[in-house]
Amino acid sequence: MKKGIGHILPSSEAIFVDRGVTKANQLLENWNGEDASRFGLVGLPLSKTSISASGAAGAPTTIRKALSAFTTYAIEDEIDLSPRMVTDFGDVSMHVTNLVECHQRIERSVAELYRLYPDIIPILLGGDHSISCPSLKAFAQARGRVGVIQFDAHHDLRNLEDGGPSNGTPFRGLLEAESIKGEDLIQIGIRNFSNGMVYHQYAQEQGVKVWTMKDIQHNRIEDIIAESVKSLENKVDSIYISVDMDVLDQAFAPGCPAIGPGGMDSQTLLSAIYTLAQHPKVHGMDIVEIDPSLDVRDMTSRVAAHVILQFLLGKAKAGN
Amino acid sequence: MKKGIGHILPSSEAIFVDRGVTKANQLLENWNGEDASRFGLVGLPLSKTSISASGAAGAPTTIRKALSAFTTYAIEDEIDLSPRMVTDFGDVSMHVTNLVECHQRIERSVAELYRLYPDIIPILLGGDHSISCPSLKAFAQARGRVGVIQFDAHHDLRNLEDGGPSNGTPFRGLLEAESIKGEDLIQIGIRNFSNGMVYHQYAQEQGVKVWTMKDIQHNRIEDIIAESVKSLENKVDSIYISVDMDVLDQAFAPGCPAIGPGGMDSQTLLSAIYTLAQHPKVHGMDIVEIDPSLDVRDMTSRVAAHVILQFLLGKAKAGN
Amino acid sequence: MKKGIGHILPSSEAIFVDRGVTKANQLLENWNGEDASRFGLVGLPLSKTSISASGAAGAPTTIRKALSAFTTYAIEDEIDLSPRMVTDFGDVSMHVTNLVECHQRIERSVAELYRLYPDIIPILLGGDHSISCPSLKAFAQARGRVGVIQFDAHHDLRNLEDGGPSNGTPFRGLLEAESIKGEDLIQIGIRNFSNGMVYHQYAQEQGVKVWTMKDIQHNRIEDIIAESVKSLENKVDSIYISVDMDVLDQAFAPGCPAIGPGGMDSQTLLSAIYTLAQHPKVHGMDIVEIDPSLDVRDMTSRVAAHVILQFLLGKAKAGN
Amino acid sequence: MKKGIGHILPSSEAIFVDRGVTKANQLLENWNGEDASRFGLVGLPLSKTSISASGAAGAPTTIRKALSAFTTYAIEDEIDLSPRMVTDFGDVSMHVTNLVECHQRIERSVAELYRLYPDIIPILLGGDHSISCPSLKAFAQARGRVGVIQFDAHHDLRNLEDGGPSNGTPFRGLLEAESIKGEDLIQIGIRNFSNGMVYHQYAQEQGVKVWTMKDIQHNRIEDIIAESVKSLENKVDSIYISVDMDVLDQAFAPGCPAIGPGGMDSQTLLSAIYTLAQHPKVHGMDIVEIDPSLDVRDMTSRVAAHVILQFLLGKAKAGN
Amino acid sequence: MKKGIGHILPSSEAIFVDRGVTKANQLLENWNGEDASRFGLVGLPLSKTSISASGAAGAPTTIRKALSAFTTYAIEDEIDLSPRMVTDFGDVSMHVTNLVECHQRIERSVAELYRLYPDIIPILLGGDHSISCPSLKAFAQARGRVGVIQFDAHHDLRNLEDGGPSNGTPFRGLLEAESIKGEDLIQIGIRNFSNGMVYHQYAQEQGVKVWTMKDIQHNRIEDIIAESVKSLENKVDSIYISVDMDVLDQAFAPGCPAIGPGGMDSQTLLSAIYTLAQHPKVHGMDIVEIDPSLDVRDMTSRVAAHVILQFLLGKAKAGN
Amino acid sequence: MKKGIGHILPSSEAIFVDRGVTKANQLLENWNGEDASRFGLVGLPLSKTSISASGAAGAPTTIRKALSAFTTYAIEDEIDLSPRMVTDFGDVSMHVTNLVECHQRIERSVAELYRLYPDIIPILLGGDHSISCPSLKAFAQARGRVGVIQFDAHHDLRNLEDGGPSNGTPFRGLLEAESIKGEDLIQIGIRNFSNGMVYHQYAQEQGVKVWTMKDIQHNRIEDIIAESVKSLENKVDSIYISVDMDVLDQAFAPGCPAIGPGGMDSQTLLSAIYTLAQHPKVHGMDIVEIDPSLDVRDMTSRVAAHVILQFLLGKAKAGN
């Protein structure tokens, strides 16, 4: 028990505590230098790699904070998530001006994490989408053949020549490096007027499976997810979810740099994550492209917090 | 007729008037000290009782103002609500530092209102949700056995020991005081990761009926309402609606203190209120948890204005 | 080719260019004084004519800018819109204090445009809704009998006596001037508590077809559009779409002056425009009532950009 | 005494009252249709006449509200201003689209006010600066030869041909109409890079006295005021102060439409008003060019409230 | 040396470190349960006691954070403040609904602090100004006769009957409790139109020394400070500084609840604190009335951070 | 003469034109590929090199736009600046992810500019302060020995090892590259608690002349400038002014990334620039560290516009 002088407590603890409520941030436990839980959270605060100005480097902080606005209890499944089920390793420290070095730090750091804790399920918080390239390189290196289910309005398959490894290129980088195969990449939520035609053609050439927003309007998301995992489960060793929050309509995710109309609503995304997480081969997730400086009341970070919670809930429910 | 000097009019009236438009704020008539209409509006500007910082005390002002942005005419039913159908009694004046005294003032004031006008249908504007405790105590005292239909993301059944009578405890307070029975309380819109498990258990022990957001996604709201009123109508004398605006998704109610994703959309709530109001035993309503200082363009107060209007429309349509 | 000193480029061009992406603002080409494309864009920056304070005069700028956030490629139809398919004529210059003169300038300017380019399809960017009156007068003068499909929460049929030709009166003005017939006007999205009863009666007397939000909730928008165009196609020479962005729910269009709950979502509007544009008699469109100074991250201008893109896509798909 | 039900009071009165504090809004008493105090306040909510978009029509409301944030007691003179010393006549109602009519309504309304109460000292709240033209026409008509002391970054002497009677032209309009003489106009605070050269030349030709910001930096404001009134007091019947709040530096008046650096600080302006008001021939004042929609926490309206209070204090101190 | 996995560091440490820069937040060291430095910082996050709505409870967090934007080095004195010279004890935990209990917790907590560390110099971060009453009661109890130098626009001497112990009453409470004497209270920066006359009279009756803003305009602040400490130093045991940030003009402290024009600039306040701190009897300070939710870019918290730094600098320079 | 259809004009020109006003943006003329005026403006939109997140890359756009809010006429000198006296070359196009390449592009581009136009006086708009390193390298290469007068709260002399060439290192980079000498660097406005001690020591070792804010409070800025130019004029070939806008107090420049209290006011900076520009050896200037996304109403860009105008005015007045 902590003991203070009078009612003085460390400032992060000097808040109202209700004995009947476990806040969702209590799911996180700072790494003690030795043990780790089944889930490992790492922040990747990099957004200088964005094509447009972005403050997404601030999102690991706001997403963690958003967790404290929610609780651990899922009434719909009557499941209470366990405190300390996620080890919070902290953030990768970034170089000020050398962005290639930043990507290398990410890759080396998560590679080392996977080496130390071979079975850990990473929950990686961007940053912009460029972080998925080094992060998935390390993941594929550690875990074998990887299937990726990407929620996104954009392909993120731009060429690497024009601007280097940016938030428009992560999956191009992975395909070119042969870290993943085109047929193992599934993109959900791709939107009209949000991509160049040649990148759609590239996706088709590479065998990438693309579900557009029209597909989502005309199908149940649970069915899309079922079909997606079915197409991957027998050929890959692990499935990794990459959630670019701009897959959501701007009304639901006002804090993404590249907002627009005609996207998914929050409930659809949350259902998708919940369903996906129940699959035993889903072994990792990243959440990217939230710029807190553009957001309204941290709404987008709040959705991200629910994405994490639904992921943990799916795992808890499936018991895998 | 008011007469001014030249075109000078009292500042609240020096605005454009279109002969063909009745604004919804004209539904309200300030209390003249004697008569009252069938509906009585009272503001309860109290939010120091909130667990987190809240400016919800400002909402009675913004909701009244939001009414002036709308008209009295419901095209879908071709019904024009009548000017002056609601008596605006004003607001309960609050103590600066004694919050128990604030709750007592609310209870005494509405009790006195119900004594003077035994058939009045109250429309109470919070303030935070703590106001429902004193308000419903007085209502139950005056009107007999009361059924409550609560729209909310949260149970609001927290224990009273840890922080006193706050915006997390109103229905716990009512159950403990036996002002209402657990079986007479119906909670609609309860959300994942928004409550402590023990309070869900308490709800179950008390016989509270709980409809989660998943229930709402899989059922028509009109059917949920029908089943709810059916379960109450034969055993209670009056039904009271308590609308915590955070039952809405954050995209639709950005001005609630406890916003989050995965909630109801505005249209669902408005349909529910419209349906409910048509029942002859629905005799009162409160609207709470709007913090105008956090809102975007008073959007949440605008929804509240429509909640009032749909309530009046339901009554007008049903003629009860 | 432009040639700069070192890497210095004109400031509008000194931005990252990806060889595989055509941005949607490249659809626009400034008028060269001679030729015009099939589509002609004109800004009508007038909003002093609004009943309430409005900064909608700023929208032509923000809508054009919003186009640069999107691309020309529609993945769902695998259609890439052609660069330079829209001639941008610029904006009508307004008088500072004489608002009647402003309307005359609009009418004279677009009349002259239609005289010079008899087949041009205008895309007119307000400004407030008052601009539809002079704009449609010129359009009807040039193109014969005109059917109007108006997306709007409001009738905009207020009397002209009380405040002159404002953003509440455009269609009243057109009916009184006999520029259009009541039976040729279809209003989609009219909302409860947003109009005066007498103006609904006036609409009914004039034979205006009204689809309320309840109609939209209970029907597929494609069916409403199909029925609407069918009722017009044989009797009119041209169909003109007037999009008042406040037809959208406030969650989807936070930047309209007259926001409120219970409106359309973005996807429904975009589908309607896409469907409508495929009809060969649809020959023009305006988009009005976006006040960028009230908007959140230009969300409403972004929807407007998609309205333009879906309009062009519908035309491209239908090949008419 | 007002009597409410329980603690329910009219909403404007249901606030904390400290027996020892008189709030400055209590200086205002709504006109009862008969009597008037020595000072008369009128709102002139017109800003469609502005060259750039302006919401200054909202300022009469925010300035009145800002008064409630302050008290009646001037500790530095140990003078307590008297409740009800100002009659609030309300606002001039404006036409929606006819701006010439708006100016006429202003002129006719204040003319009628001066006829009814020949000795009243008007405090007129704009609105944009265009209101000073009709307001001063009526004032000069009623009170004889008028000297004007204008606090402003701009001459406001633009030609009337290019844009009609706008917020750039009020003093040109007055000079051309011979309502005032050039030699009776004193402009204080004129700033570099804020005016056209020809309008400075026009000022010189007309004999207008101009004090630039450099003059203010190098002289005590009390001396400038003393010299100014001395130059007017023997030749004019009344002196009228016109306060364009953009005379202040943008750091002190962030809510003016035409903000910029290098202006006056608040204290200098308040001292000037205090000194001026003590002169027995100072018989009126207007305060213009505050756009509350652009302001930060109503700071500029708060300065305006202090301008009013210093004006009343000067009068109270001088006993004239 | 920090040890992480790869470049992963605890998130608060995963930031750029320049070997040549010591950030001012490094002055703070969390209390280890045993030792304390000469200076002790405690947050008092209470603002429900405010007469108007206030979020000042958030200021201890933002002021601490603001320190990280500055460094430890004072170039003007060529003094580098020492890391860990301030023990950060944390915040007093507050009750949700019982505000009297909150004040008791403050008083008991700091009393206990002074008992454990009799020579500690407290730096207390409000919260609203009500915290100075319990805080000074404990201080006076521990340290003998206390002189108070209060920087404030307001007397804060309101009666305790009307609203209880609020942010308007702290010094009245102290005088009535005889914790301090009127002659030992010096108020600097009192402003026109910011107080009730009767409270100025009360101040005079009690022998309180009042310096108004006019005094500050006409004197050097160093002289006012010198005269103030001279009047206290021989009769009191300790001098305590109470800094209500609304002593500053609204341009310099936009985040105070009760902002207004005509106040002090930042430099004057900082000079005053620097001068005061050099006196050997100055033994404590509080900083109150910053509402971060109203602030612009934490400007007011940044001034507060400099108030702390100037205080420490004064002490370092004087070596007392 | 412009020729449009009716009143349609290119959108940038469809604005009100007053025949008597020349707007300050008319001072700029886009480069025609051949000729250049005496002054050359170049935007350097780079801020990914900032230690903290910065959107300063947006400032070239907002500063140009801010010019349109002001005019060309300086009433205090009765000088009207000439239209087209500044050639606007545009902006240096930046690489998305390679920040060293960005600095090289800046250096090469301005070097080429100085080669083509050997006598041009550059006005360079950052971006963050890192741009001064490549910009001054090229300037020194072209113009011989350069004296630098830097307005700044910070030394910007951090080591280059810890984070590479960032906005904290430009003058360190220049000194280490021997592009400038320490004795030729004058820093004005350096502030307490804004720098590391070792960097002040480095400045002293290098012979850099440092004027702190205390120096500015105790001296006339004109005298500081006179002494500064005197110390440089005989030994250097050219003097270059580097204006980091955070030299201003946060009340006057709310849009700088590193805001704080205790800085310069706008008028002091503007006077300094005006005085400096009159010296015949002052041959260039940059303005940096304005982040428009953090600013309030582009206030800081407005000050920057006045910095440019005062610079041009000084030159015009001195005729050099």
Side-chain angles (χ1 to χ4, degrees), chain E residues 223-271:
Chain E
D223 297 338
I224 291 173
I225 296 302
E227 184 174 332
S228 296
V229 293
K230 193 167 181 187
S231 75
L232 292 175
E233 63 190 352
N234 292 324
K235 64 184 177 186
V236 303
D237 299 297
S238 284
I239 297 173
Y240 177 104
I241 311 173
S242 185
V243 183
D244 185 324
M245 295 294 289
D246 68 20
V247 75
L248 296 177
D249 190 281
Q250 60 188 2
F252 294 93
C256 294
I259 56 170
M264 219 178 259
D265 63 21
S266 304
Q267 190 51 58
T268 303
L269 175 61
L270 295 175
S271 296

Side-chain angles (χ1 to χ4, degrees), chain F residues 193-259:
Chain F
F193 307 120
S194 303
N195 296 280
M197 181 174 59
V198 300
Y199 298 125
H200 183 213
Q201 291 166 345
Y202 177 85
Q204 290 171 317
E205 289 158 18
Q206 296 288 321
V208 176
K209 171 66 187 171
V210 175
W211 298 90
T212 68
M213 278 309 302
K214 182 174 278 182
D215 296 322
I216 292 165
Q217 285 144 22
H218 293 95
N219 296 277
R220 290 179 62 249
I221 190 70
E222 291 80 0
D223 297 338
I224 291 173
I225 296 302
E227 184 174 332
S228 297
V229 292
K230 195 167 180 185
S231 74
L232 292 174
E233 63 189 350
N234 292 324
K235 62 183 177 186
V236 303
D237 299 297
S238 284
I239 297 173
Y240 178 103
I241 312 172
S242 185
V243 183
D244 184 326
M245 295 294 290
D246 67 20
V247 75
L248 296 178
D249 191 282
Q250 60 188 2
F252 294 92
C256 294
I259 55 171

Side-chain angles (χ1 to χ4, degrees), chain D residues 15-77:
Chain D
I15 50 173
F16 173 64
V17 175
D18 181 304
R19 70 190 74 172
V21 174
T22 315
K23 292 191 171 177
N25 58 324
Q26 294 175 260
L27 297 172
L28 307 187
E29 183 169 54
N30 289 336
W31 186 55
N32 62 10
E34 300 195 1
D35 310 315
S37 302
R38 178 136 189 260
F39 302 92
L41 185 137
V42 183
L44 305 174
L46 176 67
S47 52
K48 290 183 174 179
T49 32
S50 291
I51 293 173
S52 305
S54 169
T61 299
T62 53
I63 298 171
R64 283 184 183 97
K65 192 173 157 203
L67 282 167
S68 70
F70 302 106
T71 72
T72 56
Y73 181 62
I75 188 172
E76 291 171 357
D77 286 303

Side-chain angles (χ1 to χ4, degrees), chain D residues 85-114:
Chain D
M85 71 191 290
V86 182
T87 298
D88 186 348
F89 290 93
D91 295 343
V92 171
S93 159
M94 298 293 166
H95 193 273
V96 174
T97 56
N98 186 335
L99 307 187
V100 169
E101 164 76 11
C102 292
H103 279 152
Q104 290 169 346
R105 288 185 184 184
I106 292 171
E107 185 173 348
R108 286 196 302 257
S109 299
V110 295
E112 176 73 2
L113 178 72
Y114 301 148

Side-chain angles (χ1 to χ4, degrees), chain D:
Chain D
M1 275 316 292
K2 269 194 206 77
K3 171 142 171 8
I5 297 174
H7 288 81
I8 305 173
L9 291 175
S11 53
S12 63
E13 299 169 27
I15 50 173
F16 173 64
V17 175
D18 181 304
R19 70 190 74 172
V21 174
T22 315
K23 292 191 171 177
N25 58 324
Q26 294 175 260
L27 297 172
L28 307 187
E29 183 169 54
N30 289 336
W31 186 55
N32 62 10
E34 300 195 1
D35 310 315
S37 302
R38 178 136 189 260
F39 302 92
L41 185 137
V42 183
L44 305 174
L46 176 67
S47 52
K48 290 183 174 179
T49 32
S50 291
I51 293 173
S52 305
S54 169
T61 299
T62 53
I63 298 171
R64 283 184 183 97
K65 192 173 157 203
L67 282 167
S68 70
F70 302 106
T71 72
T72 56
Y73 181 62
I75 188 172
E76 291 171 357
D77 286 303
E78 300 199 0
I79 290 176
D80 203 12
L81 300 176
S82 309
R84 295 178 298 285
M85 71 191 290
V86 182
T87 298
D88 186 348
F89 290 93
D91 295 343
V92 171
S93 159
M94 298 293 166
H95 193 273
V96 174
T97 56
N98 186 335
L99 307 187
V100 169
E101 164 76 11
C102 292
H103 279 152
Q104 290 169 346
R105 288 185 184 184
I106 292 171
E107 185 173 348
R108 286 196 302 257
S109 299
V110 295
E112 176 73 2
L113 178 72
Y114 301 148
R115 198 185 59 73
L116 287 174
Y117 303 105
D119 297 325
I120 204 161
I121 296 180
I123 300 172
L124 305 174
L125 308 180
D128 67 33
H129 218 157
S130 79
I131 64 95
S132 297
C133 186
S135 140
L136 268 160
K137 280 182 182 168
F139 190 79
Q141 188 72 24
R143 303 289 173 89
R145 186 169 172 182
V146 176
V148 176
I149 295 181
Q150 172 194 355
F151 294 88
D152 208 331
H154 312 90
H155 292 300
D156 288 359
L157 291 169
R158 289 167 178 254
N159 77 78
L160 286 148
E161 288 71 35
D162 289 328
S166 73
N167 67 336
T169 67
F171 298 99
R172 181 67 162 259
L174 288 162
L175 291 170
E176 293 194 357
E178 300 186 358
S179 295
I180 61 171
K181 294 171 187 287
E183 60 170 298
D184 297 346
L185 175 59
I186 298 173
Q187 301 187 318
I188 301 177
I190 303 297
R191 226 182 284 179
N192 267 3
F193 307 119
S194 303
N195 297 281
M197 181 174 60
V198 300
Y199 298 124
H200 184 212
Q201 291 167 342
Y202 177 86
Q204 290 172 316
E205 289 158 16
Q206 295 288 322
V208 175
K209 171 67 186 171
V210 174
W211 299 88
T212 69
M213 277 310 300
K214 182 174 279 180
D215 297 321
I216 291 164
Q217 286 144 22
H218 293 95
N219 295 277
R220 291 179 62 250
I221 190 68
E222 290 80 1
D223 296 338
I224 291 174
I225 296 302
E227 185 175 330
S228 297
V229 293
K230 195 168 179 186
S231 75
L232 292 174
E233 64 189 351
N234 292 323
K235 63 183 178 187
V236 303
D237 299 297
S238 283
I239 297 173
Y240 178 103
I241 312 172
S242 185
V243 183
D244 184 325
M245 294 294 289
D246 67 21
V247 75
L248 296 178
D249 191 281
Q250 60 188 2
F252 294 93
C256 294
I259 55 170
M264 216 179 262
D265 64 20
S266 304
Q267 189 51 57
T268 303
L269 175 62
L270 296 175
S271 296
I273 300 300
Y274 172 70
T275 308
L276 263 174
Q278 295 179 48
H279 195 279
K281 283 204 172 165
V282 169
H283 290 159
M285 177 170 69
D286 63 40
I287 305 174
V288 299
E289 295 290 336
I290 299 170
D291 180 346
S293 73
L294 299 175
D295 209 355
V296 177
R297 296 193 64 202
D298 283 333
M299 275 190 193
T300 317
S301 294
R302 289 173 198 249
V303 182
H306 274 248
V307 167
I308 295 172
L309 293 169
Q310 291 288 348
F311 183 85
L312 297 174
L313 177 63
K315 286 293 176 203
K317 183 174 172 75
N320 67 59

Side-chain angles (χ1 to χ4, degrees), chain C residues 20 24 75 85 113 120 221 225 280 298 305:
Chain C
I75 190 172
M85 70 191 291
L113 179 72
I120 205 160
I221 190 69
I225 296 302
D298 283 332

